[in-house]
Amino acid sequence: MADLNAKLVIVGGGPGGYVCAIRAGQLGLDTVLVEQGGRDGGLGGTCLNVGCIPSKALIHAADAYHQAVEQAHASPFGLRVERPSIDFARTIEWKDSVVGRLTGGVGALLKRHRVRILHGHATLEDGKTVKVDTDTGVQTVRAEHLVLATGSVPAALPGLPFGGPVISSTEALSLPSIPDRLAVVGAGYIGLELGMAYAKLGARVTVVETLDRILPAYDAELVRPVARRLKALGVEVLTGARAAGLAENGESLLVDGEGVPRRRVPANHVLVATGRRARLDGFGLDRLDLTMVGRFVQVDERCATSMRNVWAVGDLTGEPMLAHRAMAQGVVVAECIAGQPSAFDATAIPAVCFTDPEIVTVGLSPDAAREAGREVVTALFPLQANGRALSMGAEEGFVRVTARADNHLVLGIAAVGAGVAELAGEFGLALSMGARLEDIGGTIHAHPTLGEAFHEASLRGLGEALHI
Ligand code: FAD
């Protein structure tokens, strides 16, 4: 097979890699993208195949079913629903069809931008040469620039290796049936999103978390409504508890911890969702002389590594491991290779937790802003006073704005409530454009929408709230 030559070769077709390839195509750069496929990947990477998209599809279906059940029980809207049931195989089929449409779309976009796609496992020879094990033999690709975008994989717990009843999020997204009992180890966003979805589908769910609280990445005020909902859904949450291993019969999780008497949590499946680790092994990364930060590849603001013309994007480069961060980095790398003065700015990366209710944050929390030495004004607007939230029957939650006390520059925005994920764009825009409370207060927000709560929180920070 003749060697392929290109301006850049990208290893990994997840959000970081494929977006980098599309942008490179737009900029006229001759680009080869290598994607190995397999159970944790494929075009679209973790995100489209076994992450963001399938999890949100499952969460949506679970919610629709749960709402039908709740409405059948007692409907505040006066609906009459007779004995709802769910065909879970059909749910998974639908979820897979959503994934299929999106991954197919990525393939088409890459072709349209004249990106050459190689399907197969890539091994690095050096910083300019990649060997790809394709179905038809080994293909050597030589390129001026190498972009590493190999992403991350679920991290296993030492006493609880994956296999049998012990599953990762990947398997949890394609279970053959709704488990009677599910134990979730780790109360981060992935564990709680999936745990809540299965609770809504009828599983009895227990969440085991070593720390003394759930969703440790979010402040206590934001997490409270989620904790209340978990309780209402009958999810048992054991904090300060350690998953010690499987019982001999493999049908229970052994749990102990300070203040938690050793006990067995019966479980058909134990979902280990304690984090993800960068994919660093098995593709010759050790042949490059890269500076690392812990278990991540170190990059500068252009996403350049310590080796000339070797770039890295996405989960491989550290936290926050989020698809939109990977995509933004991918764009920066393509533009830098094309000679543009592009740089990645991490100040306004929104994070959304698709629990019930949803949580959105962007920028600094009030505590983090104070710790950074800022004098701040913080204002909160409850969804109870928002017409749209009430008209949806979902009044739990609030929008909170944190701004500098002296000039009202917005430093952070957060919200918790049903449907608030869709506010992430407005929050991110406000922060990245350097909005002040007056800018948001002076923007006409459509009525009735949840966005009005952001407007009102900003007005409240100025002492001018209209509806509270
Ligand atoms: P990945 O998406 O991991 O892609 C890497 C790709 O590289 C894979 O397709 C892999 O097959 C390929 N690859 C690796 N090594 C090689 C090799 N040697 N040769 C060829 N190909 C290779 N993020 C959000 O922003 N929002 C969410 O709601 C969200 N939900 C999530 C839910 C779950 C259950 C999970 C697991 C993750 C979720 N994430 C979410 C995180 C998100 O999926 C990742 O941050 C994102 O996919 C990272 O993109 P990436 O390009 O760095 O890597």
Side-chain angles (χ1 to χ4, degrees):
M1 222 184 271
D3 292 359
L4 280 184
N5 291 299
K7 177 81 173 177
L8 73 148
V9 58
I10 301 168
V11 179
Y18 89 72
V19 167
C20 181
I22 290 175
R23 186 72 186 117
Q26 288 172 350
L27 293 165
L29 305 175
D30 182 15
T31 304
V32 171
L33 175 84
V34 190
E35 171 52 54
Q36 66 188 3
R39 79 187 255 296
D40 278 320
L43 283 181
T46 303
C47 172
L48 293 199
N49 292 281
V50 290
C52 327
I53 297 297
S55 62
K56 267 81 251 183
L58 190 67
I59 288 165
H60 179 75
D63 199 47
Y65 172 64
H66 185 68
Q67 286 203 16
V69 172
E70 281 197 329
Q71 297 296 324
H73 176 63
S75 170
F77 316 132
L79 301 188
R80 206 169 303 132
V81 181
E82 306 267 323
R83 288 200 280 162
S85 64
I86 183 164
D87 175 352
F88 192 59
R90 176 79 195 91
T91 308
I92 296 293
E93 231 174 79
W94 169 75
K95 180 264 300 175
D96 289 341
S97 75
V98 173
V99 169
R101 282 174 63 185
L102 288 169
T103 52
V106 167
L109 285 169
L110 290 167
K111 278 192 192 115
R112 198 192 307 156
H113 290 90
R114 288 183 291 284
V115 175
R116 286 179 282 172
I117 305 170
L118 281 181
H119 294 281
H121 178 75
T123 305
L124 310 177
E125 290 285 296
D126 54 43
K128 292 189 182 308
T129 320
V130 171
K131 284 203 186 306
V132 185
D133 194 4
T134 73
D135 280 349
T136 49
V138 175
Q139 171 74 66
T140 301
V141 187
R142 295 182 201 286
E144 236 176 87
H145 296 266
L146 168 65
V147 182
L148 303 171
T150 53
S152 63
V153 288
L157 274 181
L160 220 49
F162 292 124
V166 182
I167 59 173
S168 72
S169 55
T170 299
E171 292 78 30
L173 291 167
S174 290
L175 289 180
S177 58
I178 299 164
D180 180 32
R181 286 176 170 274
L182 176 69
V184 179
V185 184
Y189 86 93
I190 293 179
L192 288 194
E193 283 183 6
L194 293 173
M196 277 185 141
Y198 276 105
K200 288 182 177 181
L201 289 166
R204 277 180 285 173
V205 177
T206 303
V207 177
V208 180
E209 167 60 55
T210 42
L211 298 178
D212 59 0
R213 47 173 300 215
I214 60 167
L215 294 174
Y218 297 90
D219 60 72
E221 194 173 38
L222 287 168
V223 170
R224 228 167 274 134
V226 178
R228 274 198 288 270
R229 187 73 176 123
L230 281 163
K231 201 166 177 201
L233 286 168
V235 175
E236 185 185 22
V237 178
L238 305 174
T239 50
R242 184 181 71 103
L246 275 187
E248 319 73 56
N249 61 6
E251 287 169 9
S252 309
L253 175 69
L254 301 173
V255 176
D256 59 20
E258 263 175 50
V260 180
R262 192 172 173 95
R263 60 176 275 197
R264 288 165 180 256
V265 174
N268 309 103
H269 299 285
V270 176
L271 164 59
V272 174
T274 47
R276 296 180 59 83
R277 60 177 175 80
R279 192 176 342 221
L280 301 169
D281 307 319
F283 63 101
L285 192 68
D286 46 351
R287 295 197 184 125
L288 307 188
D289 187 20
L290 296 182
T291 304
M292 306 293 290
V293 191
R295 294 283 294 158
F296 296 110
V297 174
Q298 187 189 71
V299 288
D300 64 14
E301 71 289 349
R302 299 179 320 136
C303 299
T305 68
S306 53
M307 269 178 84
R308 199 163 167 268
N309 290 355
V310 178
W311 313 77
V313 297
D315 287 5
L316 191 66
T317 64
E319 297 286 354
M321 290 196 197
L322 293 170
H324 41 282
R325 170 178 174 270
M327 293 189 215
Q329 289 182 319
V331 168
V332 166
V333 166
E335 292 178 350
C336 287
I337 293 174
Q340 296 185 4
S342 194
F344 177 69
D345 179 2
T347 359
I349 307 174
V352 179
C353 182
F354 288 83
T355 41
D356 178 5
E358 294 166 349
I359 301 178
V360 188
T361 57
V362 60
L364 300 178
S365 68
D367 283 348
R370 283 187 204 103
E371 275 158 30
R374 295 274 175 223
E375 223 179 285
V376 297
V377 47
T378 291
L380 184 148
F381 189 81
L383 294 182
Q384 268 168 348
N386 174 271
R388 181 62 184 140
L390 258 67
S391 71
M392 298 192 305
E395 58 190 73
E396 167 115 78
F398 56 83
V399 175
R400 185 185 69 200
V401 185
T402 303
R404 273 173 62 157
D406 55 355
N407 61 8
H408 300 162
L409 181 75
V410 174
L411 299 173
I413 311 159
V416 55
V420 297
E422 296 306 322
L423 299 179
E426 183 180 356
F427 292 174
L429 190 67
L431 203 75
S432 63
M433 295 197 72
R436 288 160 202 264
L437 293 177
E438 288 81 353
D439 296 318
I440 300 152
T443 303
I444 298 174
H445 282 71
H447 177 71
T449 61
L450 294 177
E452 287 175 289
F454 180 36
H455 185 223
E456 287 283 358
S458 304
L459 288 175
R460 199 173 189 192
L462 297 167
E464 296 169 8
L466 296 167
H467 290 93
I468 194 163

